[in-house]
Amino acid sequence: VWSSVVSLIIQVKDVGIYARVARGFRKVIEAEATWQDHVVRLAPRCLSAFAPHLQRWLPAWKETRKLVLPRSAQLLKEIARRAPRMNVEIAWRFDQHLKGNGVQVLKGGSTVRRVAEEELVVLGDAVLPSGPGRLPYLEVHLDECGDVDLSPVSDWNGIGDSLNDFGFGVTACDPEDIHELGAVADEVPLSWVVDFTQSMVCLSVNNREAFVGRRLTSSDLKQGTRLGLLVKSDELEVYVNGILRESLPLLPEERVPIGTGLFPVLDLYGRTVQISRTDAEAPCA
């Protein structure tokens, strides 16, 4: 009975809390029935704590729908050996080796924070999940934004650039093959990037302006906002808090190759101070 109840609310991050509820409750949270048909997500900051206890938890997760965890060659090798039939999905995270000196990686790769005014590009360390019936979807949470003054004065003293703001998108180039990130996300090779400005959003393909959208601007980037990008072969869709706000079409020669692995690419210019990745999947338009 307790397995059925706990199954409705259980998450990996709360395991320690449930284990202290009562003597013997540990058996409930380690029961196969508690996790059956769940999507088990192992957050980046939980990785180091859970890795040594993986052998104990794999039997409990045997009947899960899938196990989602950060990229870790050692951990993946161990899971493949102990549970070869388990459905495993790699969740991207910010990598401290795939960023400019102006950003700092926090919380095990879940978050990045701007610490300077230059070298603000950061990449994800794994491709966005995709497959039959599932398009690549990138979503981040704007944890902190600086103040802004939209008046066109030269002595503006707010945080960041008063004209250009946050940029995010994808690249088909493996980050390990990128030797120089460039000054902005647009300069990353084989990239499709959406940049926010005061009056529009601009889609750049391989550092060339491809399309301008007028339904979104940098004023829509408020602290606490969830910003998503759905990648289709012939267009990119921008979502704000799960709602479709802009569609940016691509010409035939600009289209995203179907089946190509796409890595997240972002820059923290403008008012954007700190962002975090989310585990959200593509919303229904």
Side-chain angles (χ1 to χ4, degrees), residues 114-271:
R114 190 174 78 224
V115 294
E117 292 300 316
E118 296 181 348
E119 298 189 48
L120 304 180
V121 180
V122 59
L123 276 68
D125 69 343
V127 299
L128 296 172
S130 63
R134 184 182 184 185
L135 294 171
Y137 182 70
L138 166 65
E139 185 179 273
V140 295
H141 181 271
L142 304 184
D143 301 335
E144 184 178 344
C145 297
D147 296 329
V148 65
D149 181 355
L150 296 180
S151 60
V153 295
S154 59
D155 59 345
W156 182 73
N157 292 317
I159 294 178
D161 190 330
S162 63
L163 178 61
N164 295 317
D165 215 304
F166 178 72
F168 77 147
V170 295
T171 175
C173 187
D174 191 319
E176 294 183 359
D177 296 330
I178 300 174
H179 304 293
E180 186 174 346
L181 289 177
V184 293
D186 308 47
E187 296 180 0
V188 173
L190 298 176
S191 63
W192 294 259
V193 176
V194 178
D195 291 305
F196 287 77
T197 76
Q198 289 182 10
S199 57
M200 62 185 179
V201 291
C202 178
L203 171 61
S204 294
V205 178
N206 294 322
N207 203 21
R208 185 184 63 82
E209 183 178 301
F211 192 83
V212 169
R214 302 286 182 179
R215 293 190 294 169
L216 273 179
T217 70
S218 58
S219 63
D220 294 289
L221 303 182
K222 297 178 174 61
Q223 189 164 303
T225 296
R226 290 183 294 109
L227 196 62
L229 184 69
L230 183 65
V231 182
K232 298 181 177 181
S233 64
D234 58 350
E235 70 175 350
L236 271 64
E237 295 181 347
V238 182
Y239 290 77
V240 177
N241 294 326
I243 299 173
L244 176 61
R245 294 289 305 278
E246 191 73 81
S247 296
L248 305 169
L250 295 164
L251 295 174
E253 63 271 18
E254 300 167 340
R255 292 183 176 180
V256 182
I258 297 175
T260 300
L262 300 173
F263 294 80
V265 54
L266 310 94
D267 64 44
L268 276 68
Y269 283 97
R271 298 177 300 121

